[in-house]
Amino acid sequence: MTLLAGPASPPVPAPLRRDVAGAPARAGDPTDASPRATPYLELAPAAAVRRFRRLAAALPGTAVHYAVKANPHPALLGALTTAGCRFDVAGPTEVRACLAVGADPADLVHSNPVARRDALAECAALGVGLFVVDSPEEAIKLAESAPGSRVLCRIVTSGSGSDWPLSRKYGCSAPQAIEVLALAAGLGLRPAGISFHVGSQQRDPQAWASPIAAAARVFGLLREHGIVLDTLDLGGGFPAHLEGGALPLAAYGAAIETALRRSFDRADLPRPHTLVEPGRSVAGDAGRVVASVVGVLRRGDTRWVYLDAGVFTGMVETLDEAIRYRISTSADGGPTGPCVLAGPTCDSADVLYEKQPVQLPLALAEGDRVVLRSAGAYTTCYSTVGFNGFAPLATVLVDG
Ligand SMILES: *Cc1c(COP(=O)(O)O)cnc(C)c1O
C-alpha cells in the first residue's frame, strides 16, 4: 500500500496580532500592494487634530472635550491634548488615559450618568470636578462618593435626524432636571448646568435648538429659586464623512450660535459657558479599516462578499445597518453590482450590509483590499477581545 505524500507541514499562517502602537507605517491605500496582514485600523492622529481645530473654529467660545470612548488610542489622545483639546470621560480608566498624556483633570467632564460609586470616587480622587447625572438616585450617589462636585443634569432629546440615536437610555425631562439640580444643591453638590446629546452622526444642525431652549427654561426657573447655573454641555453628534455625506461643521456652528442667541443672551439669562463632546467627528475621519476579501460567492441571485473584518472585529455600528461607511477597494474602476457584505466569524449576525446592499466591483475577488473609510471612531474600542478565533482589530499609526 502506498501512502500519498502530503505537504510536509501546513502553511504557516501570518501572525494574527500585529504591533498596535508601532511606528508610522505606509499602508491602507487600496492600490498599495503592501504585504501587511489585514485587518487593521489605519489611524492618523494629525487628521484628528485637524478635525478638532475645525470644530473649535466652527464653535468659537465653546470648549471642545473629545469623547474618549470613540477611540482611546494613546497617540490620538496625546496629539489632541497637545493641540489644546479637552476630554469627555466615562470612568477612571479613561481618566487615567487622559492624565497619562498630560491632560489636566480640571479639563475633564465625567459624562456617564449612571456609574459605580467606587468609580465616581476614584475619578474625583484623580481630580475630576464636573460630573453628569440624570436622576435623583445618581445625584445622591454622587453626593456620597464625590462630595462637593459640580454637577450637570442630562436632559433627553428625541434623537431624530441622527444615524445612531441615544435617546432612551439616558436623560430626564426638563422639569425633572429642575428637581435633580435642586436636590443636588441640597446635598452639597454644586449645580452647574444642563447637558444633552442629540444622537450620533446627527445630520440636522437644527437638532440642537430644542434642547438648548429647554435648557434655557431650566436655567431661568432655577435662577428664580436662587440657583445660578453657568454651564451648558451641548454633547456630541457632529458628523463624520460617512455614506450620504455630511454638512460642513460651520453649518452646525451657525445653527448652534443662532439657538444660543435666541434662548440666552438676555440680561436675566446670560449665556453660560458652553462645551461640546465630539467623538465621531474628531476620530471618525482620522481612520479607516483596511480589510481583505476572504471569498466572493453566489447564493441564489445574491452575491456575497466575505471580509476578514466584520461586526465582531470593529464594525459593531453596522448592526441594524445604522452606520454606513464609504467603501473603496483595490478592484475599483470597473463595473459594480450589489452585494451583501459579511464578516469572517461564524455568527449569523456578522453581516455588515444586507437589507441595503452595497455596490462593489464585479471583479472583486479573494485577496483584494477593501477599505472602510472614516472608520476611526467606535471600531477599535469595541474590538478588545478576540471572537471566534479572530483577533481584535489592531491599530497602525500613519502620518497625515
Ligand atoms: C459617546 C458620547 C459622546 C460622543 O458622541 P459622538 O456622536 O461620537 O460625537 C458625547 N457625549 C457623551 C455623553 C457620549 O456618551
Side-chain angles (χ1 to χ4, degrees):
M1 190 165 89
T2 307
L3 287 173
L4 288 173
S9 58
V12 179
L16 275 178
R17 262 223 90 143
R18 292 156 307 284
D19 179 27
V20 168
R26 54 170 209 101
D29 179 343
T31 60
D32 170 15
S34 149
R36 179 179 287 281
T38 58
Y40 55 91
L41 174 73
E42 185 190 278
L43 181 67
V49 167
R50 284 198 299 277
R51 290 290 287 173
F52 153 67
R53 292 210 168 106
R54 211 166 291 166
L55 187 62
L59 291 159
T62 292
V64 178
H65 293 246
Y66 169 65
V68 173
K69 79 169 187 287
N71 187 323
H73 195 288
L76 180 60
L77 301 185
L80 287 171
T81 198
T82 301
C85 188
R86 304 176 180 199
F87 298 102
D88 160 21
V89 295
T93 303
E94 291 188 352
V95 174
R96 287 209 175 78
C98 295
L99 300 186
V101 297
D104 182 342
D107 287 342
L108 305 182
V109 52
H110 182 285
S111 67
N112 184 354
V114 185
R116 282 169 53 143
R117 63 180 63 231
D118 58 342
L120 293 170
E122 209 175 328
C123 290
L126 289 166
V128 178
L130 181 61
F131 292 82
V132 175
V133 299
D134 65 358
S135 65
E137 292 86 346
E138 291 297 307
I140 292 166
K141 194 196 279 179
L142 183 66
E144 289 168 357
S145 42
S149 297
R150 297 176 69 230
V151 60
L152 300 168
C153 186
R154 178 158 165 180
I155 56 173
V156 72
T157 70
S158 73
S160 70
S162 75
D163 287 6
W164 190 267
L166 316 162
S167 52
R168 289 184 315 279
K169 185 171 176 184
Y170 296 121
C172 62
S173 68
Q176 286 166 336
I178 291 170
E179 284 176 27
V180 167
L181 290 169
L183 171 69
L187 293 167
L189 294 166
R190 290 186 289 154
I194 291 292
S195 106
F196 61 83
H197 195 301
V198 294
S200 201
Q201 189 71 11
Q202 174 57 255
R203 293 176 182 275
D204 180 8
Q206 300 304 328
W208 277 261
S210 160
I212 286 174
R217 288 193 291 277
V218 175
F219 275 60
L221 270 159
L222 280 174
R223 182 174 272 255
E224 287 171 17
H225 291 87
I227 296 176
V228 178
L229 305 175
D230 67 0
T231 303
L232 178 57
D233 175 353
L234 304 162
F238 304 94
H241 293 136
L242 299 173
E243 197 179 279
L247 288 173
L249 294 175
Y252 290 78
I256 287 170
E257 174 61 26
T258 301
L260 288 170
R261 207 173 287 158
R262 194 172 293 151
S263 293
F264 292 95
D265 292 353
R266 303 198 311 255
D268 60 334
L269 210 54
R271 182 183 299 215
H273 302 294
T274 48
L275 63 109
V276 287
E277 302 168 341
R280 188 185 307 282
S281 67
V282 170
D285 293 334
R288 46 196 195 165
V289 170
V290 183
S292 297
V293 174
V294 175
V296 179
L297 48 93
R298 292 214 155 261
R299 299 195 187 279
D301 290 337
T302 307
R303 183 170 59 130
W304 285 70
V305 173
Y306 291 78
L307 302 180
D308 60 2
V311 173
F312 302 104
T313 43
M315 269 62 74
V316 67
E317 289 197 305
T318 62
L319 284 169
D320 291 333
E321 309 190 14
I323 293 295
R324 293 189 72 91
Y325 299 106
R326 291 175 299 132
I327 298 176
S328 56
T329 82
S330 55
D332 282 359
T336 65
C339 66
V340 174
L341 196 59
T345 69
C346 297
D347 195 298
S348 58
D350 194 3
V351 175
L352 286 81
Y353 303 119
E354 181 178 14
K355 278 180 278 178
Q356 193 187 330
V358 286
Q359 291 287 328
L360 290 182
L362 295 173
L364 198 67
E366 178 186 358
D368 280 336
R369 290 291 172 92
V370 171
V371 175
L372 307 179
R373 307 169 75 101
S374 295
Y378 307 117
T379 43
T380 53
C381 58
Y382 284 122
S383 174
T384 52
V385 289
F387 179 68
N388 208 182
F390 293 89
L393 193 62
T395 296
V396 173
L397 296 176
V398 292
D399 298 328

